[in-house]
Amino acid sequence: AQKITQTQPGMFVQEKEAVTLDCTYDTSDQSYGLFWYKQPSSGEMIFLIYQGSYDEQNATEGRYSLNFQKARKSANLVISASQLGDSAMYFCAIHPYNQGGKLIFGQGTELSVKP
Amino acid sequence: NAGVTQTPKFRVLKTGQSMTLLCAQDMNHEYMYWYRQDPGMGLRLIHYSVGEGTTAKGEVPDGYNVSRLKKQNFLLGLESAAPSQTSVYFCASSPSRTLETQYFGPGTRLLVL
């Protein structure tokens, strides 16, 4: 079975500073993808970044980067230069490639950016 | 190109009533999914479909049925609603199994009294 663990229910960060949101995963599959989604208070799920299990380089998308440590089964999200609009719930998810494309989500981390 | 749309956006049901949630995508995606999100939790997969005419159970399928008669539509049915089914329901789609992202609809908020 696959499992995602996000150990930080809530985080605070000062505007313009960097923040790391933790994500560890458990899977027996060799091929999988890891995702981060942002869910603002309006409720929609916004895709942020993706990392494939065979990707050798850490994924980056603008201010978002993924610190992927395969041996430790961790996929932490780093947000640089935090903005007030980054305040939201953040979900880590795993997609085992041989299981029909479904995503398994963690419980989320609520990030609050202080001015 | 509307992406993934969900109908309705909000619904209130009484216990025992039935309803159908509609998900539509205009991206010609093969894969479609229904998730539910309960307060303070991540999304959990209810059912999914890997192509027209096919469906499969996810993590929490009990009390729900689905149909994929057309490639662009994925219906989620509640035959006899229960208060435990009060949740926000998200539909998603993706083009292939080895996806790089799933595209989510805006969600349907369901309240069962």
Side-chain angles (χ1 to χ4, degrees):
Chain A
Q2 288 75 30
K3 185 179 179 181
I4 292 283
T5 302
Q6 295 180 251
T7 58
Q8 307 152 311
M11 290 277 288
F12 289 92
V13 65
Q14 204 69 35
E15 192 178 8
K16 300 181 184 178
E17 292 186 348
V19 62
T20 298
L21 306 183
D22 294 341
C23 172
T24 58
Y25 60 93
D26 187 16
T27 182
S28 56
D29 289 73
Q30 296 300 310
S31 300
Y32 51 88
L34 294 156
F35 298 80
W36 278 91
Y37 284 87
K38 172 183 178 182
Q39 188 177 42
S41 57
S42 52
E44 71 266 33
M45 296 292 287
I46 302 169
F47 166 72
L48 294 179
I49 195 166
Y50 161 85
Q51 179 85 42
S53 58
Y54 293 113
D55 294 341
E56 295 186 352
Q57 290 195 327
N58 287 340
T60 60
E61 288 286 347
R63 295 187 298 111
Y64 305 107
S65 60
L66 203 152
N67 183 359
F68 180 47
Q69 299 186 45
K70 191 172 182 177
R72 298 181 61 185
K73 294 190 175 180
S74 74
N76 298 339
L77 176 70
V78 180
I79 305 174
S80 63
S82 297
Q83 302 172 355
L84 296 178
D86 293 336
S87 294
M89 284 290 291
Y90 288 81
F91 292 97
C92 180
I94 187 170
H95 160 227
Y97 287 167
N98 65 353
Q99 295 196 25
K102 58 187 176 184
L103 291 173
I104 296 120
F105 285 83
Q107 291 193 317
T109 295
E110 184 171 9
L111 177 67
S112 298
V113 180
K114 295 181 175 181
Chain B
N1 189 338
V4 180
T5 58
Q6 293 182 231
T7 309
K9 289 186 171 56
F10 176 70
R11 183 76 182 268
V12 179
L13 287 179
K14 295 181 180 178
T15 297
Q17 286 184 320
S18 64
M19 79 162 294
T20 300
L21 281 66
L22 170 63
C23 175
Q25 52 95 4
D26 61 3
M27 297 174 282
N28 202 34
H29 286 172
E30 290 292 335
Y31 291 67
M32 297 186 74
Y33 314 84
W34 276 108
Y35 295 89
R36 62 177 286 174
Q37 185 180 29
D38 299 311
M41 297 183 67
L43 279 67
R44 292 182 294 167
L45 184 67
I46 305 170
H47 285 281
Y48 65 102
S49 168
V50 301
E52 182 178 323
T54 71
T55 63
K57 293 181 179 180
E59 183 184 357
V60 287
D62 294 342
Y64 305 95
N65 56 73
V66 288
S67 64
R68 183 102 182 266
L69 298 179
K70 293 183 178 180
K71 186 177 183 179
Q72 63 268 33
N73 295 338
F74 194 29
L75 305 178
L76 178 70
L78 286 73
E79 289 187 349
S80 180
S84 61
Q85 294 176 305
T86 293
S87 190
V88 180
Y89 292 85
F90 286 95
C91 177
S93 72
S94 63
S96 68
R97 180 173 61 88
T98 54
L99 54 87
E100 292 194 357
T101 189
Q102 286 187 6
Y103 298 83
F104 281 84
T108 293
R109 190 173 296 274
L110 177 64
L111 175 61
V112 183
L113 302 176

